[in-house]
Amino acid sequence: ETGVTQTPRHLVMGMTNKKSLKCEQHLGHNAMYWYKQSAKKPLELMFVYSLEERVENNSVPSRFSPECPNSSHLFLHLHTLQPEDSALYLCASSQGGSPNTGELFFGEGSRLTVL
Amino acid sequence: AQSVTQLDSQVPVFEEAPVELRCNYSSSVSVYLFWYVQYPNQGLQLLLKYLSGSTLVESINGFEAEFNKSQTSFHLRKPSVHISDTAEYFCAVSGRGSTLGRLYFGRGTQLTVWP
């Protein structure tokens, strides 16, 4: 098993659809993250979960809804998206606690296209 | 808070030429520094990191970066590049003392190696 696995790798959806992105980590980490990567823009941190609790939400629209049922799994539920939401969504994990080096381990991403 | 500036969005070079990708950061606290690489259609992979100790750090594939505290820089260098080094490179910074891996990324530098 690779460290961080994301499914699906590619997703095309209409603006009225509901879909979900899934992330699973096999590294024994206790923190998980969703990042959005759009062309020509820095990576945007969307959500942070530590020990299954959401500890950060960077002003993300409510059409994105994260879920972390346990420390190994992270979901991003998508509903009524806009074309500008088309991007690569990256999941990452880390070992939180002290000391913490800040190193993140990334999945390969889910390429989302909203029509 | 921390921020990262990557001064070059694109760096084209010929194979076997040397290359330098520039990264400057700003932070009010001591930092950890990272370079991540992203190959086409893949997630981010850690290339090298500076946590403490020697200010010169190396990767297994010939890249090196030097932490310069006075210039707040962490430039990435390779004396002789290969076509397989073509990828996007991201510099990132994390503040020491945080119990969570909160990384701030630059906008990325696209390195293209021509034969």
Side-chain angles (χ1 to χ4, degrees):
Chain A
E1 294 280 3
T2 55
V4 180
T5 305
Q6 290 187 243
T7 54
R9 292 293 309 279
H10 300 273
L11 178 62
V12 179
M13 58 186 291
M15 288 191 285
T16 58
N17 292 159
K18 289 184 182 181
K19 297 286 184 183
S20 296
L21 307 181
K22 178 183 175 183
C23 176
E24 184 173 0
Q25 60 98 358
H26 307 276
L27 301 169
H29 291 163
N30 57 15
M32 297 187 76
Y33 310 75
W34 280 116
Y35 278 86
K36 177 183 179 182
Q37 186 179 27
S38 306
K40 309 299 182 186
K41 295 175 70 174
L43 272 76
E44 302 171 52
L45 179 62
M46 300 175 72
F47 302 104
V48 180
Y49 276 82
S50 176
L51 297 172
E52 300 148 43
E53 265 194 66
R54 190 189 311 180
V55 298
E56 192 161 337
N57 176 345
N58 283 330
S59 304
V60 179
S62 59
R63 57 186 184 267
F64 294 91
S65 174
E67 179 189 1
C68 187
N70 55 62
S71 59
S72 299
H73 293 86
L74 184 66
F75 295 89
L76 188 63
H77 303 300
L78 315 170
H79 176 50
T80 321
L81 295 191
Q82 305 298 312
E84 60 265 29
D85 297 322
S86 298
L88 182 68
Y89 289 84
L90 293 165
C91 175
S93 69
S94 73
Q95 185 56 43
S98 181
N100 183 283
T101 65
E103 181 177 350
L104 297 182
F105 295 77
F106 285 86
E108 295 193 317
S110 294
R111 172 72 62 186
L112 173 65
T113 303
V114 181
L115 301 178
Chain B
Q2 293 81 41
S3 68
V4 175
T5 302
Q6 291 184 244
L7 296 165
D8 307 298
S9 61
Q10 302 206 29
V11 174
V13 294
F14 287 108
E15 195 173 19
E16 298 183 6
V19 70
E20 178 180 81
L21 306 184
R22 296 179 291 171
C23 171
N24 288 89
Y25 69 93
S26 66
S27 176
S28 57
V29 299
S30 297
V31 297
Y32 300 119
L33 292 158
F34 306 83
W35 276 99
Y36 281 83
V37 59
Q38 186 177 32
Y39 298 102
N41 301 312
Q42 295 189 25
L44 276 70
Q45 304 172 32
L46 181 68
L47 185 62
L48 47 75
K49 59 187 177 184
Y50 169 75
L51 303 181
S52 64
S54 172
T55 57
L56 184 67
V57 292
E58 299 178 351
S59 71
I60 58 173
N61 57 351
F63 283 93
E64 64 179 31
E66 186 161 20
F67 169 51
N68 188 319
K69 187 176 181 180
S70 63
Q71 297 187 7
T72 60
S73 68
F74 191 55
H75 301 330
L76 182 69
R77 301 183 183 94
K78 189 170 185 180
S80 176
V81 293
H82 302 290
I83 289 178
S84 60
D85 293 323
T86 295
E88 188 145 24
Y89 292 79
F90 293 90
C91 183
V93 63
S94 175
R96 289 176 186 259
S98 169
T99 57
L100 209 59
R102 179 67 168 89
L103 278 185
Y104 296 84
F105 286 89
R107 289 177 175 266
T109 298
Q110 174 65 44
L111 173 65
T112 303
V113 181
W114 299 99

